[in-house]
Amino acid sequence: KAGVTQTPRYLIKTRGQQVTLSCSPISGHRSVSWYQQTPGQGLQFLFEYFSETQRNKGNFPGRFSGRQFSNSRSEMNVSTLELGDSALYLCASIWGGLQFFGPGTRLTVL
Amino acid sequence: QKEVEQNSGPLSVPEGAIASLNCTYSDRVSQSFFWYRQYSGKSPELIMSIYSNGDKEDGRFTAQLNKASQYVSLLIRDSQPSDSATYLCAVNRGAGNQFYFGTGTSLTVIP
């Protein structure tokens, strides 16, 4: 099976802009989680989707949102970007309680 | 108090030695425990999962869980330079798929 794919892999934006990141989970996996990883904070949970429904949400401001489509692909959106949003954004495909990460999207906010 | 705590290291061991990585968690209801390896510039890779008290072995890796002490560890036997990475401990409290990660321990295996 193909692994988790994330697009784009790298992104440079300026403050105030918005960004949309995409994730395609492993075929057959219906649950997807998103994480933000920064050197200072480590991996922080953003949200989890299962069958198009958000089941869990981390402690991030409302500027961070997501959705999941009927084919299990997921997108996350960050509006009004801030410098502190620069991070590696990781998507994980979940099956049987096990998480498998995609390669991530490296977002730089200037 | 953080959900999951790890010693950030760095931990250095000589090639062939046993590397011991430790993790504590705060919520007693946690049910599932995981170790991930993350090479620099790469995404985390799942290497071990453990659900019951005791030891679980997979090749050179052994995960140990002590729920009474809220403690999880990972032993890497016969450490190799290719084991040099950051090791992340993760915990699932069982309320769906919400995982909490430690900040990771950096391991360097010296040839």
Side-chain angles (χ1 to χ4, degrees):
Chain A
K1 282 184 179 179
V4 182
T5 58
Q6 291 188 246
T7 57
R9 294 292 311 279
Y10 302 91
L11 208 47
I12 299 175
K13 293 285 189 179
T14 56
R15 280 181 299 175
Q17 288 187 307
Q18 75 165 22
V19 66
T20 299
L21 312 181
S22 180
C23 170
S24 291
I26 295 168
S27 178
H29 291 194
R30 294 164 62 190
S31 180
V32 170
S33 284
W34 287 90
Y35 292 86
Q36 180 195 68
Q37 187 174 35
T38 58
Q41 299 295 320
L43 265 166
Q44 292 189 286
F45 173 76
L46 280 156
F47 24 67
E48 183 227 351
Y49 286 87
F50 177 80
S51 292
E52 303 177 66
T53 301
Q54 186 181 88
R55 290 204 299 191
N56 289 290
K57 189 177 191 304
N59 295 323
F60 277 81
R63 300 186 297 107
F64 292 82
S65 63
R67 59 179 175 168
Q68 186 180 33
F69 302 95
S70 58
N71 62 357
S72 296
R73 190 177 70 85
S74 179
E75 288 181 348
M76 67 162 284
N77 184 277
V78 187
S79 62
T80 319
L81 284 166
E82 300 177 0
L83 295 178
D85 296 333
S86 294
L88 178 66
Y89 289 87
L90 291 160
C91 167
S93 178
I94 305 171
W95 180 262
L98 301 177
Q99 288 192 118
F100 303 94
F101 285 93
T105 295
R106 173 75 61 183
L107 172 65
T108 302
V109 182
L110 302 176
Chain B
Q1 184 182 9
K2 290 186 177 180
E3 292 276 352
V4 181
E5 301 214 45
Q6 295 180 253
N7 187 329
S8 62
L11 174 66
S12 295
V13 300
E15 184 174 354
I18 295 175
S20 177
L21 305 162
N22 304 313
C23 170
T24 58
Y25 59 95
S26 62
D27 196 331
R28 286 192 171 274
V29 304
S30 299
Q31 297 182 4
S32 310
F33 308 86
F34 308 88
W35 284 99
Y36 286 81
R37 176 175 63 197
Q38 186 172 24
Y39 292 113
S40 180
K42 302 293 186 182
S43 61
E45 172 193 10
L46 178 65
I47 54 174
M48 290 286 287
S49 60
I50 186 166
Y51 307 98
S52 305
N53 279 329
D55 295 359
K56 179 181 178 182
E57 187 174 316
D58 184 359
R60 295 186 297 110
F61 298 98
T62 298
Q64 299 175 318
L65 174 61
N66 183 326
K67 289 187 177 181
S69 300
Q70 296 175 234
Y71 179 89
V72 192
S73 66
L74 179 70
L75 300 177
I76 306 174
R77 291 182 302 280
D78 188 24
S79 295
Q80 301 296 309
S82 58
D83 295 326
S84 297
T86 295
Y87 288 80
L88 301 168
C89 173
V91 169
N92 186 338
R93 293 192 296 191
N97 291 317
Q98 185 160 1
F99 296 77
Y100 296 89
F101 281 79
T103 51
T105 298
S106 175
L107 171 67
T108 299
V109 180
I110 303 167

